[in-house]
Amino acid sequence: MANIREIAKLSGVSKATVSRILNHDKTFSVSDSTRKRVFRISSQLNYTLSNTSNKDSVEKLHVAIVNCLSPEQELRDPYFSMIKNGIDEQAEIWGMKIALEIRLPNTGHDWSELATCGAVIVIGTLMESVLDKIYQHNQNIIIINDPRHFEKYDIIRNDFGYQTQQVLDLMKAKGHKRIAFIGGKTNLIDESSVSQILLMDNREKAYLEWMKLNNFSEFTDPHITKGWTTEEALSVTQDILAEEKQPTAILTASDPQAIGVYRAVQKAGYQIPDDIAIVSFDDINMVSYLYPALTTVRPAAQEMGREAINLVRERVVDSRKVALQVTVNSILIKRESL
């Protein structure tokens, strides 16, 4: 049940102001717009002065998360950890509570619990059948990090496709055309299993399109690993270096993969970037220990999480029904590996 503190946060005024407005204090001077905003938000949150309501009513300031990553995967990947941090921080600012988290694939969860929350944030790539099931219980759905288009759901995504093109343009400007790409697979997640259906990562897609548009098709060399690990990237790079015609540049989809590439390239006696240039995505803390320093794309992952809560607020407070697609821009951090 909403309280005065929560209404105050969402209205952008003090608790005392909310209290005096809701109690129709005639001695209190406040603008008509503020008064109307407080009444509108309190009404939308089903607030009453007695602070009682039907026990089965939806708690609009409660948020549910449906997460496609295990706790271990989330801890290993700073990108998703930062998204969760952003969600938590912004939820606290707006007086919202993460009341429920369902991790998939899993069995035994009760989808009807989602109906008790104001909105559902999905992190990752779910089968459409699962999204439909969530929608049956809660129509306020915000999806983070899914490249697909949906008409009913809000989508928050990064700009990795655009950044891939920018990086490749820089490589071309430095004379590179024999450019290899190392990425990973993205599986759709079902309720109880990891589907065999794959989504092409935006970085891989942008790489293939860019190589074709720049008439470098004969040099196109993508390598997609089962996971996104350092060990897999190291093994793949060793295979690449064993080829008769080696690339002069390697673009990796993540910094952990770039670390594997560094190990393989330097172990083989090649110099970075003189022999092989390397660029990556993530800008995790560990890359500061690489030599030479890694050029990488830093995503605004925490901002993606914050924006998810902002979209939740628009849904539950402003009653927005039209679905939005939000792209959060990243930053290319230029260092010595290119």
Side-chain angles (χ1 to χ4, degrees), residues 191-317:
E191 282 191 69
S192 57
S193 64
V194 177
S195 168
Q196 295 304 306
I197 300 175
L198 299 176
L199 288 180
M200 180 179 287
D201 184 84
N202 281 341
R203 287 158 288 195
E204 179 188 359
K205 181 179 180 181
Y207 165 78
L208 295 173
E209 291 176 349
W210 187 92
M211 294 294 282
K212 183 177 181 180
L213 286 173
N214 285 271
N215 298 316
F216 292 164
S217 295
E218 62 180 302
F219 307 120
T220 301
D221 190 19
H223 299 264
I224 309 303
T225 63
K226 183 177 181 180
W228 300 73
T229 67
T230 297
E231 293 74 20
E232 288 175 308
L234 188 153
S235 177
V236 165
T237 307
Q238 289 173 334
D239 293 339
I240 292 173
L241 297 178
E243 296 173 358
E244 182 179 353
K245 293 184 178 181
Q246 300 167 355
T248 61
I250 299 177
L251 174 61
T252 69
S254 74
D255 284 351
Q257 291 177 317
I259 292 171
V261 174
Y262 262 66
R263 290 179 184 174
V265 169
Q266 293 174 335
K267 186 177 180 180
Y270 295 104
Q271 298 296 314
I272 303 170
D274 295 340
D275 299 318
I276 299 178
I278 301 172
V279 180
S280 184
F281 285 79
D282 282 340
D283 196 32
I284 61 176
N285 291 334
M286 190 180 299
V287 301
S288 63
Y289 296 100
L290 294 176
Y291 181 81
L294 176 64
T295 296
T296 184
V297 174
R298 179 189 297 163
Q302 195 155 336
E303 190 59 42
M304 293 172 71
R306 293 192 188 103
E307 188 59 32
I309 292 296
N310 291 338
L311 293 180
V312 167
R313 183 176 180 274
E314 291 177 9
R315 287 269 187 175
V316 302
V317 176

Side-chain angles (χ1 to χ4, degrees), residues 3-276:
N3 56 41
I4 287 179
R5 178 182 63 83
E6 294 162 343
I7 295 171
K9 283 191 173 184
L10 294 171
S11 302
V13 297
S14 68
K15 291 187 292 184
T17 297
V18 171
S19 178
R20 295 181 72 173
I21 289 174
L22 295 181
N23 282 283
H24 299 277
D25 186 345
K26 295 181 179 180
T27 67
F28 183 55
S29 177
V30 67
S31 68
D32 287 341
S33 60
T34 299
R35 190 182 302 275
K36 289 178 181 179
R37 184 168 70 253
V38 169
F39 276 120
R40 174 172 57 82
I41 291 174
S42 63
S43 174
Q44 290 171 337
L45 298 181
N46 298 322
Y47 177 82
T48 61
L49 291 178
S50 60
N51 204 30
T52 60
S53 65
N54 188 312
K55 67 179 181 179
D56 295 323
S57 66
V58 171
E59 177 48 87
K60 292 189 177 183
L61 294 184
H62 283 184
V63 179
I65 293 177
V66 178
N67 199 334
C68 295
L69 285 84
S70 68
E72 295 75 21
Q73 290 173 316
E74 191 176 293
L75 286 173
R76 287 198 306 266
D77 194 329
Y79 176 73
F80 289 101
S81 297
M82 294 297 288
I83 287 175
K84 286 291 290 294
N85 287 342
I87 291 173
D88 292 339
E89 289 180 4
Q90 199 72 358
E92 183 176 356
I93 288 173
W94 291 119
M96 297 182 182
K97 177 182 178 182
I98 308 303
L100 171 67
E101 182 166 11
I102 296 174
R103 292 187 184 269
L104 298 180
N106 192 11
T107 57
H109 45 267
D110 183 2
W111 289 116
S112 65
E113 291 181 309
L114 299 179
T116 66
C117 296
V120 180
I121 296 175
V122 175
I123 302 176
T125 53
L126 291 177
M127 295 281 290
E128 289 195 47
S129 59
V130 181
L131 290 171
D132 288 340
K133 187 167 292 188
I134 294 172
Y135 189 78
Q136 292 173 14
H137 297 282
N138 195 314
Q139 296 185 2
N140 293 329
I141 299 175
I142 295 90
I143 305 176
I144 303 177
N145 212 59
D146 192 319
R148 295 171 293 175
H149 174 83
F150 297 102
E151 294 184 357
K152 297 184 294 187
Y153 318 131
D154 292 347
I155 307 292
I156 301 173
R157 54 174 63 99
N158 54 51
D159 64 342
F160 283 179
Y162 168 79
Q163 292 292 349
T164 297
Q165 295 173 352
Q166 297 300 107
V167 168
L168 292 169
D169 284 342
L170 287 176
M171 288 180 168
K172 180 181 178 182
K174 290 182 175 291
H176 298 287
K177 57 184 179 180
R178 194 178 294 277
I179 305 168
F181 174 82
I182 299 177
K185 294 181 179 180
T186 300
N187 296 76
L188 289 179
I189 305 298
D190 206 344
E191 282 191 69
S192 57
S193 64
V194 177
S195 168
Q196 295 304 306
I197 300 175
L198 299 176
L199 288 180
M200 180 179 287
D201 184 84
N202 281 341
R203 287 158 288 195
E204 179 188 359
K205 181 179 180 181
Y207 165 78
L208 295 173
E209 291 176 349
W210 187 92
M211 294 294 282
K212 183 177 181 180
L213 286 173
N214 285 271
N215 298 316
F216 292 164
S217 295
E218 62 180 302
F219 307 120
T220 301
D221 190 19
H223 299 264
I224 309 303
T225 63
K226 183 177 181 180
W228 300 73
T229 67
T230 297
E231 293 74 20
E232 288 175 308
L234 188 153
S235 177
V236 165
T237 307
Q238 289 173 334
D239 293 339
I240 292 173
L241 297 178
E243 296 173 358
E244 182 179 353
K245 293 184 178 181
Q246 300 167 355
T248 61
I250 299 177
L251 174 61
T252 69
S254 74
D255 284 351
Q257 291 177 317
I259 292 171
V261 174
Y262 262 66
R263 290 179 184 174
V265 169
Q266 293 174 335
K267 186 177 180 180
Y270 295 104
Q271 298 296 314
I272 303 170
D274 295 340
D275 299 318
I276 299 178

